[in-house]
Amino acid sequence: MSDDDAENSLWATVGCSLAVLAAASLSYTFITPNRGVDLKIHAAYVIAAICAVAFTPASIGSYVFTELTVTLVGAVYPIYRATKAVCTPDESDDKEWLQYWMLGGVLFTLTTWVDDVIGAEKANAVWLGSLLFVFFWLYFPLTCGALIVYDNVTEPFLGPRLRPLQKKMSNFIVYLYQTLANAVHLYLLWIIFMFLPAGLKRIIAVATGTVYPFVCSVTAAATDEIEDDTYCEVAGLTYWAVYGCLFLLMDLCETWLGRIPGFYTLIIFSTVYLMLPMFRGADKVFRKILVPLAGLQEMLLLRDSIQIKKQMLKDLPPDRAEIVSKSIAKFFDGSGGEADPTVLKNELMTSWSAIKVPKIKLPFGKKKEKDEGGPTESTNLV
């Protein structure tokens, strides 16, 4: 193949992948979801997918069913939707995309190596086409595959069984972190890791980023016992969006850097930084990088303010919550001296001091004399 033909083939692949991505985005945006209750739609979808994969000419399938198309539809677009779901005030889409990442995200990270093993071009196109339709089935508004799996498998079966496992894994991870804090242990572990084959290193890196977060995500989505369940879902979705970017970066660079000592070690340490609550790495990367790239800073600020109000109403008595909310409104209004933080502080302190604290009678202490006002007639006679 000449250089001109290779360049034309590249542009054709990119164009077809972007066209498929645009179709997926438009369908998700404009089609009203039905929670996947119509089985006829699922049957029609499966038949259409099988026909498309099996009967698409190889000359067309080689441009449509590619790694780029699968990556855009199965990872890049879900990363954008997950980022938007975290930033929007509506909380219903948080659970929706967390359900996707529990299935599609894990499936994507665990299957990226398969197409490298498949040698035949036609078999590779069939595999990639099948993956493409599976990923799209998970969030297509008329099928809502992730929701169906959640309602029938995750919530009734996985949630109750994985909740105890999450507690044990959390304790183990804390213990492991304390152990690795010792530099000697960390150095010995790194030496052992360096002698492992590159394929095994990759498996360990992917397992580090998916197993424990998957268990936590299932628990957060399936349990009703956590009082602040929304925050758990948001934290899980934030992690998956950021880890998806890290995995794509690893998958892109490992062809050239995978055999360099320390590459997978860096991936594992980056994953641990994103995953552990003590670092809050996923939240930092999400706010500093993903949100600005998506242009959702204002939307995230609005959601943060709503969460602050909810937390304030939860922690404070109604009368105090009303006073604090008025002070915050004055500060954000920014007009006149009422927006001065010192003035607002004085108003809060004044309102607090105006609250009458009931007197508490202590059951101990000295008893007062009945007559302490001054000398009586009897004392004057003495």
Side-chain angles (χ1 to χ4, degrees), residues 50-347:
I50 294 176
C51 293
V53 172
F55 300 111
T56 299
S59 58
I60 299 177
S62 60
Y63 296 113
V64 177
F65 303 137
T66 61
E67 295 181 41
L68 178 60
T69 306
V70 173
T71 301
L72 291 176
V73 175
V76 175
Y77 184 67
I79 287 173
Y80 170 74
R81 298 304 310 191
T83 303
K84 190 172 182 179
V86 174
C87 295
T88 53
D90 185 15
E91 298 174 356
S92 61
D93 51 357
D94 299 344
K95 186 181 290 289
E96 174 187 352
W97 282 101
L98 181 61
Q99 292 162 9
Y100 171 84
W101 279 102
M102 287 189 299
L103 297 172
V106 174
L107 179 64
F108 181 84
T109 56
L110 296 181
T111 56
T112 52
W113 58 273
V114 177
D115 56 293
D116 297 329
V117 178
I118 300 176
E121 183 177 352
K122 179 61 178 178
N124 191 40
V126 171
W127 166 251
L128 292 175
S130 302
L131 272 183
L132 175 64
F133 281 103
V134 169
F135 288 135
F136 188 53
W137 174 79
L138 290 174
Y139 62 83
F140 182 48
L142 297 182
T143 56
C144 299
L147 180 61
I148 292 177
V149 176
Y150 170 79
D151 290 338
N152 295 281
V153 179
T154 304
E155 185 176 26
F157 297 106
L158 292 182
R161 290 167 175 78
L162 292 183
R163 196 173 300 121
L165 179 61
Q166 181 202 2
K167 296 179 181 179
K168 294 180 181 179
M169 293 180 69
S170 299
N171 295 334
F172 174 75
I173 287 177
V174 172
Y175 171 76
L176 184 63
Y177 173 78
Q178 293 174 350
T179 303
L180 294 181
N182 188 324
V184 177
H185 294 165
L186 186 61
Y187 181 74
L188 291 176
L189 183 64
W190 182 75
I191 291 295
I192 296 173
F193 184 78
M194 294 305 297
F195 286 98
L196 296 177
L200 186 56
K201 292 179 183 178
R202 189 183 196 279
I203 293 175
I204 295 175
V206 173
T208 302
T210 56
V211 176
Y212 179 68
F214 172 77
V215 175
C216 293
S217 298
V218 171
T219 304
T223 185
D224 293 327
E225 298 177 1
I226 301 177
E227 187 174 6
D228 196 8
D229 193 29
T230 300
Y231 175 76
C232 295
E233 292 175 1
V234 170
L237 192 55
T238 300
Y239 167 80
W240 283 112
V242 178
Y243 177 73
C245 296
L246 177 64
F247 179 83
L248 291 178
L249 183 63
M250 180 192 77
D251 192 51
L252 178 65
C253 298
E254 66 182 350
T255 303
W256 302 279
L257 306 178
R259 297 189 179 276
I260 297 178
F263 174 75
Y264 289 105
T265 304
L266 178 62
I267 296 297
I268 291 177
F269 281 143
S270 301
T271 302
V272 172
Y273 171 74
L274 298 177
M275 181 172 55
L276 292 184
M278 63 188 71
F279 298 128
R280 298 185 65 86
D283 185 69
K284 294 176 182 177
V285 175
F286 181 82
R287 292 176 176 271
K288 299 295 184 181
I289 299 179
L290 286 188
V291 173
L293 287 177
L296 298 172
Q297 299 98 316
E298 296 178 359
M299 195 71 70
L300 182 60
L301 288 173
L302 176 60
R303 172 146 187 169
D304 287 341
S305 63
I306 293 175
Q307 294 299 325
I308 292 174
K309 180 179 179 180
K310 290 182 178 180
Q311 191 67 33
M312 181 179 62
L313 295 175
K314 173 184 173 184
D315 295 339
L316 297 178
D319 54 340
R320 296 300 302 171
E322 182 180 359
I323 294 174
V324 174
S325 62
K326 289 181 178 179
S327 299
I328 294 175
K330 290 180 181 179
F331 178 76
F332 278 102
D333 181 55
S335 59
E338 293 183 345
D340 187 359
T342 304
V343 176
L344 296 176
K345 174 186 175 183
N346 293 334
E347 289 182 359

